[in-house]
Each structure stands twice: as structure tokens, then as C-alpha cells.
Amino acid sequence: MSNTNPPSPSTGSRTETFTCVRCGRTVGAFTPDGLRRNHCPSCLHSRHVHDHVEGGPSECLSRMSPISIAVPRDGDWKVIHRCTRCDELTANRVQVDDNQLILMRLAVRPLAQPPFPLEVFGEL
Amino acid sequence: MPRRNPASADRRVQRRKERVPRGDAFRCAGCRADVPFHAPGTAHRNHCPQCLTSLHVDRRVPGDRAAGCGGRMEALSLSTRPDGEWLLIHHCLVCGELSANRIAGDDNPLVLLRMAVRPLSDSRVPARAMLVL
Ligand SMILES: [Zn+2]
Ligand SMILES: [Zn+2]
Ligand SMILES: [Zn+2]
Ligand SMILES: [Zn+2]
């Protein structure tokens, strides 16, 4: 049976699914390598179900859009989400089956509109 | 000597590049540089223009100064607003909280650019994704 919320971290079975609030896809709650999902692997959108400042569940429940990709020197890539209603920010691990094209498009987007001319830098 | 008072605000904005007196600057928690509060292009400076380090003083809203944490915040990644302006995503090294902050006119462009190209220079970059770009 399908649920409209991303699953809570501690409960649920491997057959559990949720429906993406952005693209409508029905998504398995777990990745192929057995990790619980936080966002839709197709469009990378999420839902504000957890209060990350106070802890515990959030009453917001609005859509969270991916706004940035963080590439730590060590550790996994992360998707930064921002809630479209209350602006809360979260960082969540990129999963093995996340849409790679959307990921890279998001990751290089700042370079498309640099605040200074890139020509002055030469080779980095 | 008072560190900040409203009467000195106007003078602070007008001041050009002479040496920064105490009270109009802060010591960066990352690189120890003396950083003037006034930043070109923004209402209040949020991070060091040289190393982009910030301090965890706001809670939910930029400028609310409601967090008791005081932890050091490092620049984690870049985002773009719909109008194309760059935002820095900071994360607190003490409590893990995230914040999004506008870049300032005097932020070090080389440091910003290194952050922008990091996804491309990372050896774990998905090859499949590079082919379709
Ligand atoms: Zn989706
Ligand atoms: Zn929210
Ligand atoms: Zn600094
Ligand atoms: Zn903190």
C-alpha cells in the first residue's frame, strides 16, 4: 500500500512505498543497497516531515526542493534541500540510484551564472 | 570604549579602506583575519571574505541572532537563486545546522570558484553523468 509521506526512519518494511509530492512517482522506501530514502530518486524532491532544528516530526509537510549539491573532500555527496514553505534546510546523502543527470545539472548550475568573469582565472 | 552604538553606524558605512578600528571589525574564527562588518552589496556581513567561515549566531532566519550555539560554520556548497545570484550553504561544525547566505562583493573569487568546480574535479564524479552533459 502506498503512503504519501516519506517513511519515518525507524519503521517500515522493504515493500513500503511513498508517492513523490513533486513528480508523482511511486518510490520504494529503500534503495537497492538497503538504505532508507529521504528523497525521490527521479526528481530529488523531498517532503518536510522532520523538524531538524527542534527535533521530532514537523507539521510543515510541504515540498522540499533540491537547491545544491555538496561535495565533501571525504564522505558522500549530499543533496541540500530547502522547504518551499518554511525555508528549513537539510542535507541528505546522495543515493546509488539517484538521477545522475539532475544531480550534475544541480551541481554545476552556479558555474552557468558566475558573479565574475571566469576568463581572468585561467587554469584552476 | 563601546564596541558598537547606533550613532556610529553612518560613519561605519561611509568609511573606505583605512585601517579598521576595534568595534567595526571581527576576528575570523577560521583564518584569524580582521574583517570589517561593512560588506559591499549586503546589509550585514555573514562570513569571512577570505575563507568564507561564519559563526552560528542565527537560528531560523538570517539576522535573528537567536542561536546560543556560537559554533564555527564552514562553507559547504554553493546554490543559485532564481535570479542567478550565488548563495553559500554553511554548516555548523558544532551542531550541524545549515544556513544559506548571499555572497558579498568582496568575497575571494578564487575561493568561491574552487567551491563551484568541486563537483567536476571530484574523482567520484559519475562518469555516466559527465557523458550526457
Ligand atoms: Zn519525484
Ligand atoms: Zn517546511
Ligand atoms: Zn577567514
Ligand atoms: Zn551550531
Side-chain angles (χ1 to χ4, degrees):
Chain A
M1 188 186 149
S2 151
N3 190 313
T4 49
N5 290 342
S8 65
S10 51
T11 55
S13 72
R14 294 298 153 102
T15 55
E16 191 183 333
T17 59
F18 66 90
T19 303
C20 174
V21 288
R22 163 75 182 210
C23 71
R25 180 178 160 186
T26 302
V27 184
F30 290 87
T31 65
D33 50 351
L35 295 165
R36 195 171 264 287
R37 281 187 210 285
N38 146 276
H39 52 264
C40 170
S42 296
C43 72
L44 307 186
H45 284 251
S46 183
R47 199 168 182 215
H48 193 181
V49 294
H50 182 77
D51 189 319
H52 303 267
V53 178
E54 310 287 351
S58 169
E59 287 167 8
C60 180
L61 302 183
S62 294
R63 181 166 56 84
M64 299 191 82
S65 356
I67 61 159
S68 174
I69 302 296
V71 180
R73 278 177 203 87
D74 39 17
D76 298 304
W77 287 29
K78 298 225 166 68
V79 191
I80 311 295
H81 285 106
R82 167 136 75 182
C83 180
T84 53
R85 180 177 153 269
C86 73
D87 281 343
E88 189 160 310
L89 297 167
T90 60
N92 296 285
R93 224 191 85 155
V94 167
Q95 301 294 358
V96 282
D97 57 350
D98 281 350
N99 185 323
Q100 313 265 288
L101 178 56
I102 306 249
L103 270 178
M104 284 312 289
R105 202 172 63 189
L106 203 52
V108 302
R109 198 169 58 186
L111 283 174
Q113 285 169 299
F116 32 70
L118 296 179
E119 289 74 18
V120 300
F121 291 101
E123 277 295 304
L124 274 177
Chain B
M1 163 181 160
R3 294 185 73 84
R4 300 177 73 184
N5 64 63
S8 70
D10 288 343
R11 276 189 299 120
R12 191 160 64 238
V13 172
Q14 315 253 314
R15 196 170 281 120
R16 295 282 189 267
K17 282 209 170 135
E18 69 257 31
R19 206 179 143 271
V20 183
R22 245 181 329 156
D24 286 359
F26 62 92
R27 172 75 40 94
C28 172
C31 69
R32 314 308 297 168
D34 283 317
V35 180
F37 279 115
H38 174 64
T42 61
H44 80 270
R45 193 190 287 283
N46 155 275
H47 52 266
C48 170
Q50 287 310 314
C51 73
L52 310 181
T53 296
S54 181
L55 274 185
H56 190 184
V57 290
D58 299 331
R59 192 152 167 85
R60 299 239 187 211
V61 185
D64 72 5
R65 311 240 147 205
C69 175
R72 185 167 138 192
M73 297 189 87
E74 267 184 5
L76 182 66
S77 63
L78 284 167
S79 179
T80 42
R81 303 203 306 191
D83 64 3
E85 190 182 6
W86 283 15
L87 291 176
L88 272 172
I89 309 295
H90 281 98
H91 74 132
C92 178
L93 299 182
V94 173
C95 72
E97 191 161 318
L98 300 164
S99 68
N101 300 287
R102 297 174 62 196
I103 61 169
D106 59 352
D107 283 350
N108 186 321
L110 190 56
V111 176
L112 286 175
L113 195 56
R114 284 213 184 100
M115 181 152 281
V117 300
R118 216 191 268 170
L120 294 171
S121 51
D122 190 274
S123 57
R124 297 161 295 175
V125 65
R128 205 150 46 88
M130 294 307 285
L131 289 175
V132 292
L133 277 180

